[in-house]
Amino acid sequence: MAEHEPTPSRAIAVEPRGPVFISYRHSDARALAESLAWALRAAGVPVWHDVTDLPPGDTDRRLGEALASGLSGAVVIVTPEIGQSQVIRDLELPRLLDLEQESNFTLAVGSTVEAGGSAGSLDYSAPDRLLGQPPGTLQRLNQRRVARVEERAELANALARQRLARLRTEIENAGGVLVVDIQTRVPPVATAQDGDLVLRLRPPVDGERRPHRGGLEDLHRFLGELPLLIATAGAHAVRVRGGAHLSVACAIGAALPTTLVGTVEVVDTAGHTWVLPGQAPSPTGERLCEAVTPGGYNYGRGPVLAFIDLLPQQSDAAFDAMLRSGRPAFAGVLHLRPRTAGLLNPGDAEMLVGELNAEIRALANTHRTTEVHLLLRCPYSVAVLLGRTLNTLTINLYEWEDTPDGDSGPNPRYVPSIVLRSGSGGSPIDRITAPPLSCRS
Protein backbone atom coordinates (compact mmCIF):
# COMPACT_ATOMS: atom_id res chain seq x y z
CA MET A 1 0.00 0.00 0.00
CA ALA A 2 1.33 3.42 -0.93
CA GLU A 3 0.87 4.90 2.53
CA HIS A 4 3.09 2.16 3.97
CA GLU A 5 6.08 2.77 1.70
CA PRO A 6 9.26 3.76 3.57
CA THR A 7 9.99 7.44 3.66
CA PRO A 8 13.50 8.39 2.44
CA SER A 9 15.80 9.30 5.33
CA ARG A 10 16.52 12.72 3.86
CA ALA A 11 12.80 13.54 4.30
CA ILE A 12 12.83 12.63 7.98
CA ALA A 13 14.77 14.73 10.45
CA VAL A 14 17.18 13.14 12.90
CA GLU A 15 17.62 15.39 15.92
CA PRO A 16 20.16 14.34 18.61
CA ARG A 17 18.10 16.15 21.27
CA GLY A 18 14.82 14.79 19.94
CA PRO A 19 12.61 12.16 21.53
CA VAL A 20 12.82 8.39 21.28
CA PHE A 21 9.90 6.72 19.48
CA ILE A 22 8.34 3.62 21.09
CA SER A 23 6.96 1.04 18.68
CA TYR A 24 4.84 -1.73 20.24
CA ARG A 25 1.80 -3.96 19.87
CA HIS A 26 -1.11 -2.66 21.95
CA SER A 27 -2.63 -6.07 22.63
CA ASP A 28 0.24 -7.45 24.72
CA ALA A 29 2.72 -4.60 25.27
CA ARG A 30 0.69 -1.56 26.31
CA ALA A 31 1.75 -1.71 29.98
CA LEU A 32 5.36 -2.44 28.99
CA ALA A 33 5.43 0.56 26.67
CA GLU A 34 4.02 2.89 29.33
CA SER A 35 6.53 1.67 31.92
CA LEU A 36 9.45 2.01 29.48
CA ALA A 37 8.29 5.50 28.49
CA TRP A 38 8.43 6.65 32.12
CA ALA A 39 11.80 4.95 32.66
CA LEU A 40 13.19 6.83 29.66
CA ARG A 41 11.78 10.16 30.85
CA ALA A 42 13.23 9.62 34.33
CA ALA A 43 16.60 8.97 32.67
CA GLY A 44 16.45 12.28 30.83
CA VAL A 45 15.37 10.89 27.45
CA PRO A 46 12.22 12.50 25.98
CA VAL A 47 9.71 10.12 24.42
CA TRP A 48 7.17 9.82 21.63
CA HIS A 49 4.60 7.42 23.11
CA ASP A 50 1.31 7.23 21.23
CA VAL A 51 -0.91 7.16 24.31
CA THR A 52 0.43 10.44 25.67
CA ASP A 53 2.34 12.14 22.87
CA LEU A 54 0.63 11.61 19.52
CA PRO A 55 -2.20 13.98 18.54
CA PRO A 56 -5.59 12.54 17.60
CA GLY A 57 -6.27 11.75 13.97
CA ASP A 58 -5.59 9.21 11.25
CA THR A 59 -3.01 6.61 12.34
CA ASP A 60 -0.79 6.94 9.29
CA ARG A 61 -0.78 10.72 9.47
CA ARG A 62 -0.12 10.77 13.23
CA LEU A 63 2.78 8.35 12.92
CA GLY A 64 4.16 10.24 9.96
CA GLU A 65 4.14 13.46 11.96
CA ALA A 66 5.90 11.77 14.86
CA LEU A 67 8.56 10.17 12.68
CA ALA A 68 9.19 13.43 10.84
CA SER A 69 9.30 15.58 13.97
CA GLY A 70 12.99 15.11 14.70
CA LEU A 71 13.66 11.85 16.52
CA SER A 72 16.91 10.80 18.17
CA GLY A 73 16.09 7.12 18.27
CA ALA A 74 13.49 4.41 18.71
CA VAL A 75 12.79 1.26 20.68
CA VAL A 76 10.86 -1.62 19.15
CA ILE A 77 9.22 -3.64 21.94
CA VAL A 78 9.06 -7.24 20.71
CA THR A 79 6.33 -9.37 22.27
CA PRO A 80 4.74 -12.59 20.97
CA GLU A 81 1.88 -10.75 19.23
CA ILE A 82 3.93 -8.03 17.52
CA GLY A 83 3.75 -9.81 14.16
CA GLN A 84 -0.01 -9.25 14.10
CA SER A 85 0.48 -5.48 13.82
CA GLN A 86 0.33 -4.35 10.20
CA VAL A 87 1.14 -0.79 11.29
CA ILE A 88 4.46 -1.88 12.81
CA ARG A 89 5.40 -4.25 9.95
CA ASP A 90 4.42 -1.99 7.06
CA LEU A 91 4.65 1.56 8.38
CA GLU A 92 6.76 2.03 11.50
CA LEU A 93 9.54 -0.50 11.05
CA PRO A 94 10.46 0.41 7.43
CA ARG A 95 10.73 4.07 8.41
CA LEU A 96 12.74 3.31 11.55
CA LEU A 97 15.15 1.08 9.62
CA ASP A 98 15.56 3.88 7.11
CA LEU A 99 16.32 6.35 9.92
CA GLU A 100 18.78 3.89 11.41
CA GLN A 101 21.05 4.46 8.43
CA GLU A 102 21.79 7.89 9.92
CA SER A 103 24.75 7.80 12.32
CA ASN A 104 22.98 9.96 14.94
CA PHE A 105 19.95 7.68 15.18
CA THR A 106 19.75 4.87 17.76
CA LEU A 107 17.47 1.91 17.06
CA ALA A 108 17.16 -0.58 19.91
CA VAL A 109 15.07 -3.69 20.52
CA GLY A 110 13.45 -4.45 23.87
CA SER A 111 12.24 -8.04 23.88
CA THR A 112 10.25 -10.40 26.08
CA VAL A 113 10.55 -13.42 23.75
CA GLU A 114 12.77 -16.06 25.31
CA ALA A 115 14.66 -18.82 23.55
CA GLY A 116 12.91 -22.19 23.74
CA GLY A 117 14.00 -24.18 26.77
CA SER A 118 16.30 -21.40 28.01
CA ALA A 119 14.50 -19.41 30.67
CA GLY A 120 16.03 -15.95 30.95
CA SER A 121 17.75 -16.12 27.55
CA LEU A 122 16.40 -13.96 24.73
CA ASP A 123 15.51 -15.40 21.36
CA TYR A 124 17.57 -12.96 19.30
CA SER A 125 16.10 -14.23 16.04
CA ALA A 126 12.50 -13.54 17.17
CA PRO A 127 12.26 -9.88 16.02
CA ASP A 128 13.12 -10.72 12.41
CA ARG A 129 10.96 -13.84 12.38
CA LEU A 130 7.88 -12.21 13.91
CA LEU A 131 8.12 -9.06 11.79
CA GLY A 132 8.89 -10.80 8.50
CA GLN A 133 12.37 -9.31 8.10
CA PRO A 134 15.38 -10.98 6.45
CA PRO A 135 17.49 -12.82 9.05
CA GLY A 136 19.94 -10.45 10.71
CA THR A 137 17.98 -7.25 10.04
CA LEU A 138 17.05 -6.68 13.69
CA GLN A 139 19.19 -9.41 15.22
CA ARG A 140 22.29 -7.28 14.66
CA LEU A 141 20.87 -4.45 16.81
CA ASN A 142 21.22 -3.91 20.53
CA GLN A 143 18.63 -6.26 22.03
CA ARG A 144 17.76 -6.18 25.73
CA ARG A 145 15.29 -7.95 27.96
CA VAL A 146 12.49 -5.64 29.14
CA ALA A 147 10.19 -8.00 31.04
CA ARG A 148 11.26 -6.65 34.45
CA VAL A 149 11.17 -3.05 35.59
CA GLU A 150 14.90 -3.13 36.39
CA GLU A 151 15.61 -4.28 32.82
CA ARG A 152 13.57 -1.41 31.40
CA ALA A 153 15.57 1.00 33.57
CA GLU A 154 18.84 -0.49 32.27
CA LEU A 155 17.72 0.06 28.67
CA ALA A 156 16.67 3.64 29.49
CA ASN A 157 20.02 4.37 31.12
CA ALA A 158 21.87 2.91 28.12
CA LEU A 159 19.93 5.18 25.76
CA ALA A 160 20.71 8.18 27.99
CA ARG A 161 24.43 7.36 27.68
CA GLN A 162 24.16 7.13 23.91
CA ARG A 163 22.26 10.43 23.82
CA LEU A 164 25.02 12.27 25.69
CA ALA A 165 27.82 10.59 23.77
CA ARG A 166 26.32 12.07 20.60
CA LEU A 167 25.86 15.47 22.22
CA ARG A 168 29.40 15.55 23.68
CA THR A 169 30.99 17.78 21.04
CA GLU A 170 28.09 20.24 21.18
CA ILE A 171 28.22 20.35 25.00
CA GLU A 172 32.00 20.87 25.01
CA ASN A 173 31.65 23.68 22.45
CA ALA A 174 29.02 25.31 24.67
CA GLY A 175 31.47 25.61 27.56
CA GLY A 176 31.20 22.11 29.00
CA VAL A 177 27.93 22.78 30.83
CA LEU A 178 25.43 19.92 30.90
CA VAL A 179 21.84 21.23 30.91
CA VAL A 180 19.40 19.16 32.98
CA ASP A 181 15.77 20.21 32.57
CA ILE A 182 13.42 18.71 35.17
CA GLN A 183 9.69 18.74 35.87
CA THR A 184 7.83 16.61 38.40
CA ARG A 185 4.42 18.27 38.59
CA VAL A 186 3.13 18.50 35.02
CA PRO A 187 2.49 16.01 32.19
CA PRO A 188 5.60 15.40 30.05
CA VAL A 189 4.17 17.04 26.92
CA ALA A 190 3.30 20.29 28.71
CA THR A 191 6.78 21.82 28.62
CA ALA A 192 9.67 22.33 26.21
CA GLN A 193 12.12 19.42 25.87
CA ASP A 194 15.31 20.97 24.55
CA GLY A 195 17.76 20.21 27.37
CA ASP A 196 20.67 17.78 27.19
CA LEU A 197 18.86 15.63 29.73
CA VAL A 198 15.11 16.15 30.01
CA LEU A 199 13.87 14.54 33.23
CA ARG A 200 10.12 14.11 33.47
CA LEU A 201 8.61 12.18 36.37
CA ARG A 202 5.07 10.90 36.62
CA PRO A 203 2.96 13.83 37.87
CA PRO A 204 1.13 13.63 41.21
CA VAL A 205 -2.03 11.60 41.52
CA ASP A 206 -5.12 13.74 40.87
CA GLY A 207 -5.98 15.84 43.90
CA GLU A 208 -2.61 15.39 45.61
CA ARG A 209 0.53 17.52 45.85
CA ARG A 210 3.15 14.97 46.88
CA PRO A 211 5.30 13.24 44.24
CA HIS A 212 4.02 10.15 42.48
CA ARG A 213 5.56 7.09 44.17
CA GLY A 214 6.15 5.45 40.79
CA GLY A 215 8.05 8.55 39.67
CA LEU A 216 10.26 8.35 42.75
CA GLU A 217 10.98 4.70 42.00
CA ASP A 218 11.90 5.56 38.40
CA LEU A 219 14.22 8.29 39.68
CA HIS A 220 15.81 5.89 42.18
CA ARG A 221 16.77 3.52 39.36
CA PHE A 222 18.34 6.38 37.37
CA LEU A 223 20.19 8.72 39.71
CA GLY A 224 23.21 6.49 40.22
CA GLU A 225 23.93 6.95 36.50
CA LEU A 226 24.13 10.74 36.62
CA PRO A 227 27.86 11.11 37.40
CA LEU A 228 28.70 8.69 34.56
CA LEU A 229 26.48 10.67 32.19
CA ILE A 230 28.28 13.89 33.10
CA ALA A 231 31.61 12.22 32.26
CA THR A 232 30.16 10.81 29.03
CA ALA A 233 29.11 14.32 28.01
CA GLY A 234 32.57 15.73 28.76
CA ALA A 235 30.95 18.28 31.07
CA HIS A 236 32.66 20.02 33.98
CA ALA A 237 29.56 21.86 35.24
CA VAL A 238 25.81 21.24 35.45
CA ARG A 239 22.93 23.66 34.97
CA VAL A 240 19.59 22.55 36.41
CA ARG A 241 16.42 24.29 35.32
CA GLY A 242 12.66 23.71 35.41
CA GLY A 243 10.94 22.84 38.67
CA ALA A 244 10.57 19.92 41.06
CA HIS A 245 9.18 18.72 44.35
CA LEU A 246 11.66 19.59 47.05
CA SER A 247 12.54 16.00 47.98
CA VAL A 248 13.29 15.30 44.31
CA ALA A 249 15.33 18.50 44.00
CA CYS A 250 17.39 17.52 47.05
CA ALA A 251 17.95 14.03 45.58
CA ILE A 252 19.15 15.54 42.30
CA GLY A 253 21.65 17.59 44.29
CA ALA A 254 22.75 14.51 46.23
CA ALA A 255 23.58 12.86 42.89
CA LEU A 256 25.84 15.86 42.14
CA PRO A 257 27.94 16.00 45.33
CA THR A 258 30.61 18.61 45.74
CA THR A 259 33.15 15.78 46.01
CA LEU A 260 32.44 14.63 42.43
CA VAL A 261 31.06 17.59 40.45
CA GLY A 262 32.50 21.10 40.32
CA THR A 263 30.03 23.87 39.64
CA VAL A 264 26.28 23.34 39.79
CA GLU A 265 23.97 26.22 38.96
CA VAL A 266 20.20 26.18 39.29
CA VAL A 267 17.90 28.48 37.32
CA ASP A 268 14.74 29.18 39.30
CA THR A 269 11.26 29.77 37.91
CA ALA A 270 11.90 33.53 37.80
CA GLY A 271 15.04 33.06 35.71
CA HIS A 272 17.49 33.81 38.53
CA THR A 273 20.62 31.66 38.82
CA TRP A 274 21.80 30.11 42.10
CA VAL A 275 25.37 28.74 42.09
CA LEU A 276 27.44 26.47 44.30
CA PRO A 277 30.88 26.31 42.64
CA GLY A 278 32.38 23.67 44.94
CA GLN A 279 32.53 22.85 48.63
CA ALA A 280 30.03 24.87 50.65
CA PRO A 281 31.93 27.44 52.76
CA SER A 282 31.87 27.35 56.54
CA PRO A 283 29.83 30.25 57.91
CA THR A 284 31.73 33.27 59.17
CA GLY A 285 30.52 36.63 60.36
CA GLU A 286 26.86 37.61 60.30
CA ARG A 287 24.41 34.78 59.63
CA LEU A 288 21.60 34.79 57.06
CA CYS A 289 19.29 32.61 59.18
CA GLU A 290 18.26 32.38 62.80
CA ALA A 291 16.83 29.57 64.91
CA VAL A 292 13.22 29.93 66.05
CA THR A 293 13.18 26.44 67.53
CA PRO A 294 10.61 25.58 70.20
CA GLY A 295 12.14 24.67 73.56
CA GLY A 296 12.19 21.29 75.25
CA TYR A 297 13.92 19.22 72.59
CA ASN A 298 17.20 18.07 74.05
CA TYR A 299 16.93 14.38 74.78
CA GLY A 300 20.46 13.21 74.32
CA ARG A 301 21.33 10.82 71.55
CA GLY A 302 18.98 9.98 68.65
CA PRO A 303 17.46 11.12 65.33
CA VAL A 304 16.92 14.84 64.83
CA LEU A 305 14.49 17.03 62.91
CA ALA A 306 15.50 20.11 60.90
CA PHE A 307 12.87 22.45 59.43
CA ILE A 308 14.45 24.72 56.80
CA ASP A 309 11.75 27.39 56.47
CA LEU A 310 12.96 30.11 54.09
CA LEU A 311 9.85 31.47 52.35
CA PRO A 312 8.75 35.04 53.19
CA GLN A 313 5.49 34.07 54.87
CA GLN A 314 6.05 31.81 57.87
CA SER A 315 3.83 28.70 57.98
CA ASP A 316 4.26 26.36 60.94
CA ALA A 317 0.99 24.38 61.05
CA ALA A 318 2.28 21.17 59.46
CA PHE A 319 5.58 21.38 61.38
CA ASP A 320 3.76 21.89 64.69
CA ALA A 321 1.41 18.99 63.92
CA MET A 322 4.41 16.72 63.35
CA LEU A 323 5.92 17.71 66.69
CA ARG A 324 2.61 17.21 68.53
CA SER A 325 2.16 13.75 67.08
CA GLY A 326 5.45 12.59 68.59
CA ARG A 327 5.94 10.21 65.65
CA PRO A 328 8.74 9.73 65.06
CA ALA A 329 10.41 10.85 68.28
CA PHE A 330 13.31 13.30 67.96
CA ALA A 331 16.25 13.90 70.26
CA GLY A 332 16.69 17.41 68.90
CA VAL A 333 14.79 19.89 66.72
CA LEU A 334 15.96 22.87 64.66
CA HIS A 335 13.72 25.45 62.96
CA LEU A 336 15.56 28.00 60.80
CA ARG A 337 14.10 31.22 59.40
CA PRO A 338 15.72 34.07 57.39
CA ARG A 339 16.91 37.01 59.47
CA THR A 340 15.54 39.53 56.96
CA ALA A 341 12.10 39.82 55.40
CA GLY A 342 11.38 39.32 51.70
CA LEU A 343 12.76 37.01 49.06
CA LEU A 344 16.16 35.38 49.32
CA ASN A 345 19.00 36.80 47.24
CA PRO A 346 20.31 34.25 44.68
CA GLY A 347 23.71 35.89 45.01
CA ASP A 348 23.85 34.60 48.59
CA ALA A 349 23.40 30.97 47.50
CA GLU A 350 26.90 29.78 48.37
CA MET A 351 26.89 31.42 51.82
CA LEU A 352 23.30 30.31 52.52
CA VAL A 353 23.90 26.66 51.63
CA GLY A 354 27.10 26.61 53.68
CA GLU A 355 25.21 27.94 56.68
CA LEU A 356 22.32 25.47 56.31
CA ASN A 357 24.72 22.55 55.96
CA ALA A 358 26.66 23.65 59.04
CA GLU A 359 23.50 24.02 61.14
CA ILE A 360 22.18 20.59 60.13
CA ARG A 361 25.52 18.92 60.89
CA ALA A 362 25.86 20.74 64.22
CA LEU A 363 22.41 19.49 65.23
CA ALA A 364 23.32 15.91 64.28
CA ASN A 365 26.68 16.12 66.06
CA THR A 366 25.09 17.48 69.23
CA HIS A 367 22.85 14.44 69.44
CA ARG A 368 25.51 12.00 68.22
CA THR A 369 23.57 10.80 65.21
CA THR A 370 23.78 10.71 61.42
CA GLU A 371 20.01 10.36 60.99
CA VAL A 372 18.33 13.63 60.07
CA HIS A 373 14.66 14.15 59.27
CA LEU A 374 14.46 17.14 56.95
CA LEU A 375 11.48 19.38 56.18
CA LEU A 376 12.12 21.83 53.36
CA ARG A 377 10.13 24.98 52.74
CA CYS A 378 12.36 26.89 50.38
CA PRO A 379 13.03 27.57 46.68
CA TYR A 380 13.73 24.35 44.79
CA SER A 381 17.09 25.86 43.79
CA VAL A 382 18.17 25.87 47.44
CA ALA A 383 17.03 22.25 47.83
CA VAL A 384 19.21 21.17 44.87
CA LEU A 385 22.32 22.93 46.16
CA LEU A 386 21.78 21.82 49.77
CA GLY A 387 21.48 18.21 48.58
CA ARG A 388 25.03 18.45 47.23
CA THR A 389 26.42 18.93 50.74
CA LEU A 390 24.66 16.21 52.75
CA ASN A 391 26.89 13.21 52.08
CA THR A 392 27.70 11.00 55.13
CA LEU A 393 24.26 11.80 56.62
CA THR A 394 21.08 9.75 56.32
CA ILE A 395 18.44 12.25 55.26
CA ASN A 396 14.75 11.40 55.69
CA LEU A 397 12.89 13.80 53.37
CA TYR A 398 9.23 14.75 53.59
CA GLU A 399 6.76 16.60 51.34
CA TRP A 400 4.05 19.05 52.33
CA GLU A 401 0.52 17.79 51.68
CA ASP A 402 -2.90 19.31 52.35
CA THR A 403 -5.33 16.71 51.00
CA PRO A 404 -7.90 15.10 53.33
CA ASP A 405 -6.35 12.60 55.73
CA GLY A 406 -8.80 9.73 56.21
CA ASP A 407 -12.31 11.10 56.74
CA SER A 408 -11.11 14.54 57.81
CA GLY A 409 -11.09 17.68 55.73
CA PRO A 410 -7.99 19.40 54.34
CA ASN A 411 -5.12 18.58 56.66
CA PRO A 412 -1.76 20.33 56.11
CA ARG A 413 0.98 17.89 57.08
CA TYR A 414 4.37 16.55 56.11
CA VAL A 415 4.36 13.05 54.63
CA PRO A 416 7.41 10.79 54.07
CA SER A 417 8.94 10.81 50.60
CA ILE A 418 12.47 9.37 50.28
CA VAL A 419 15.59 8.60 52.29
CA LEU A 420 18.93 9.82 50.96
CA ARG A 421 22.27 8.26 51.79
CA SER A 422 24.84 9.69 49.40
CA GLY A 423 28.57 9.23 49.18
CA SER A 424 28.65 5.43 49.07
CA GLY A 425 28.22 4.95 45.32
CA GLY A 426 25.10 4.14 43.34
CA SER A 427 21.84 6.02 43.67
CA PRO A 428 21.74 8.52 46.54
CA ILE A 429 18.15 7.41 47.14
CA ASP A 430 18.42 4.66 49.72
CA ARG A 431 14.70 3.87 49.82
CA ILE A 432 11.26 5.21 48.97
CA THR A 433 9.12 6.04 52.02
CA ALA A 434 6.15 7.58 50.21
CA PRO A 435 3.01 5.51 50.78
CA PRO A 436 1.97 3.06 48.06
CA LEU A 437 -0.64 4.39 45.67
CA SER A 438 -3.26 2.02 47.03
CA CYS A 439 -2.83 3.54 50.51
CA ARG A 440 -3.51 7.09 49.40
CA SER A 441 -6.74 8.88 50.12
Side-chain angles (χ1 to χ4, degrees):
M1 297 174 63
E3 66 270 26
H4 292 159
E5 293 176 359
T7 301
S9 60
R10 63 179 178 276
I12 303 177
V14 175
E15 170 51 59
R17 280 191 172 79
V20 165
F21 184 85
I22 299 180
S23 176
Y24 68 101
R25 171 72 171 170
H26 282 243
S27 61
D28 64 347
R30 186 183 182 97
L32 275 178
E34 181 177 4
S35 177
L36 177 60
W38 284 117
L40 285 163
R41 294 181 184 117
V45 180
V47 174
W48 265 111
H49 174 216
D50 61 353
V51 172
T52 52
D53 297 295
L54 289 177
D58 174 74
T59 298
D60 287 359
R61 181 179 62 80
R62 288 187 293 126
L63 292 172
E65 290 174 355
L67 292 168
S69 65
L71 300 176
S72 64
V75 179
V76 180
I77 299 180
V78 176
T79 49
E81 296 180 15
I82 193 172
Q84 300 174 27
S85 172
Q86 183 182 5
V87 170
I88 295 175
R89 288 197 325 268
D90 298 339
L91 176 62
E92 294 180 11
L93 186 57
R95 296 188 182 187
L96 295 177
L97 288 170
D98 192 56
L99 279 171
E100 198 254 339
Q101 302 305 307
E102 299 285 342
S103 61
N104 284 332
F105 189 84
T106 300
L107 181 57
V109 174
S111 180
T112 66
V113 182
E114 297 183 344
S118 302
S121 177
L122 284 184
D123 181 352
Y124 291 99
S125 66
D128 290 327
R129 183 176 67 254
L130 294 172
L131 290 168
Q133 295 295 312
T137 302
L138 296 173
Q139 188 171 351
R140 65 183 171 79
L141 299 176
N142 177 20
Q143 293 192 41
R144 291 176 178 260
R145 289 176 54 87
V146 291
R148 298 171 56 243
V149 65
E150 294 81 7
E151 293 165 344
R152 296 190 284 276
E154 289 171 2
L155 175 56
N157 292 341
L159 291 177
R161 291 192 296 271
Q162 291 180 335
R163 175 184 176 89
L164 291 190
R166 287 173 174 163
L167 291 173
R168 180 178 180 119
T169 299
E170 192 172 339
I171 291 170
E172 289 177 336
N173 291 340
V177 179
L178 177 73
V179 178
V180 178
D181 190 288
I182 181 168
Q183 290 287 348
T184 66
R185 290 187 173 90
V186 296
V189 296
T191 55
Q193 302 189 358
D194 60 348
D196 302 321
L197 288 176
V198 184
L199 274 68
R200 296 290 182 268
L201 300 188
R202 306 173 199 235
V205 173
D206 287 347
E208 296 186 347
R209 295 178 182 270
R210 69 190 85 170
H212 193 293
R213 182 184 171 97
L216 296 175
E217 291 169 346
D218 291 332
L219 185 69
H220 172 45
R221 287 184 284 266
F222 162 69
L223 274 186
E225 290 284 312
L226 192 50
L228 175 59
L229 292 174
I230 295 169
T232 300
H236 60 76
V238 176
R239 178 180 301 127
V240 180
R241 69 187 191 195
H245 287 85
L246 296 181
S247 61
V248 173
C250 195
I252 294 290
L256 303 169
T258 57
T259 53
L260 290 178
V261 182
T263 298
V264 172
E265 56 186 52
V266 186
V267 182
D268 66 20
T269 54
H272 302 132
T273 301
W274 306 64
V275 183
L276 184 60
Q279 295 284 349
S282 299
T284 58
E286 187 175 353
R287 301 295 182 93
L288 297 172
C289 298
E290 61 182 350
V292 292
T293 306
Y297 289 92
N298 189 3
Y299 302 129
R301 184 172 185 169
V304 295
L305 173 67
F307 181 26
I308 308 302
D309 181 17
L310 304 181
L311 298 186
Q313 185 67 36
Q314 187 168 342
S315 177
D316 297 349
F319 169 62
D320 292 340
M322 189 171 184
L323 294 181
R324 287 196 305 272
S325 74
R327 297 189 306 271
F330 301 111
V333 175
L334 173 69
H335 181 185
L336 287 179
R337 288 285 300 160
R339 285 185 176 274
T340 58
L343 298 174
L344 299 172
N345 179 4
D348 291 334
E350 188 176 2
M351 185 180 358
L352 174 63
V353 170
E355 184 175 324
L356 297 177
N357 177 57
E359 292 281 3
I360 291 169
R361 291 186 181 276
L363 176 68
N365 289 338
T366 296
H367 297 278
R368 295 178 291 169
T369 185
T370 59
E371 185 173 350
V372 177
H373 293 252
L374 184 58
L375 311 180
L376 294 174
R377 189 170 178 267
C378 62
Y380 99 99
S381 48
V382 173
V384 173
L385 298 182
L386 180 61
R388 303 192 66 205
T389 72
L390 298 176
N391 56 306
T392 73
L393 296 175
T394 298
I395 304 294
N396 297 262
L397 284 162
Y398 296 74
E399 288 284 349
W400 188 82
E401 180 63 270
D402 67 346
T403 57
D405 187 12
D407 296 327
S408 66
N411 180 21
R413 62 199 185 279
Y414 283 99
V415 295
S417 183
I418 57 178
V419 176
L420 298 181
R421 185 176 289 147
S422 57
S424 58
S427 175
I429 299 179
D430 183 64
R431 63 186 184 274
I432 310 296
T433 51
L437 294 179
S438 59
C439 294
R440 293 187 176 187
S441 55

